[in-house]
Amino acid sequence: MATAAPAAPAPAEEGAEAKPKSKLVPLILAVTALIVVIVATIGLTLWLSGFFAKPPVNADALLEQGGEHAAAEGDGHGAAPADGGHGAAPADGGHGAPADGGHGEKKAEGDKPSGPPALKKKSPDSLQFEYSYLQLDKDFLVNLMSSKKVMSVQIAIMTRYDDRVFENVKKHELILRGVMLDIMRMTTDTDLTKPDFRKDLAAKLRDAMNTQLEKYENFGGIEELIFTGFVVQ
């Protein structure tokens, strides 16, 4: 008797392998979609927070870079000639930046000069100095020492220096008057009979004023003190 041929494998195994593959494809798509959503969310968040915006321009840094660049050009072959060459910028009257009085940077007005007052001349080329006078507003009235007499004087001061001397006198007028009155109160009847009494008193008052001005302003500048009125009665 003839033996029966072996049966062919059942097609059920192919169906079993196809089912896992069919489940893997949706899973991959879901993961891919999730990744896309996460990346899009991160990108949108960074864009809204300004992460992709250009950083602000630092003006100071640009100026420093410009200065360094200009200095480098000044030392290199691109330096503009400083003695009237074709690349030189005109110092006055040209199209370049005006040295003073133009649209360029101006000197600050109202700035007081530093240092001690300067001597005033009648003209820059003159050897003669210009004398200025200031009449003190209030009279000086004191009682003489050990006497019933009263001395009343009017005082003016003279200087060859600039107006800062007079400005300092007005600024410290109160303390100057106090010191001067104290000196005048030391006058006695005997002092009035001395030939050089007024000259000596003027020198004492001048020196006292200069001492106080040097104390508070580091400069005196009063060269003469003049009595424009002098009464003792």
Side-chain angles (χ1 to χ4, degrees), residues 77-97:
H77 298 289
D83 54 351
H86 296 289
D92 53 355
H95 298 288

Side-chain angles (χ1 to χ4, degrees), residues 123-190:
S123 66
D125 299 329
S126 175
L127 297 178
Q128 294 183 339
F129 294 101
E130 182 178 351
Y131 296 88
S132 301
Y133 299 85
L134 174 67
Q135 176 73 49
L136 303 185
D137 295 333
K138 298 179 181 179
D139 296 354
F140 291 78
L141 179 65
V142 297
N143 293 318
L144 301 185
M145 178 180 288
S146 302
S147 174
K148 295 182 179 180
K149 293 181 179 179
V150 175
M151 180 167 59
S152 177
V153 300
Q154 296 174 342
I155 293 176
I157 56 176
M158 182 271 287
T159 184
R160 291 177 297 170
Y161 293 90
D162 59 39
D163 294 338
R164 280 180 288 173
V165 173
F166 295 155
E167 292 174 0
N168 292 337
V169 170
K170 295 176 181 178
K171 178 180 178 181
H172 302 286
E173 179 182 2
L174 295 179
I175 193 167
L176 293 176
R177 285 185 64 87
V179 172
M180 295 166 72
L181 289 173
D182 288 340
I183 295 175
M184 294 174 62
R185 289 191 187 99
M186 302 299 293
T187 304
T188 63
D189 289 336
T190 304

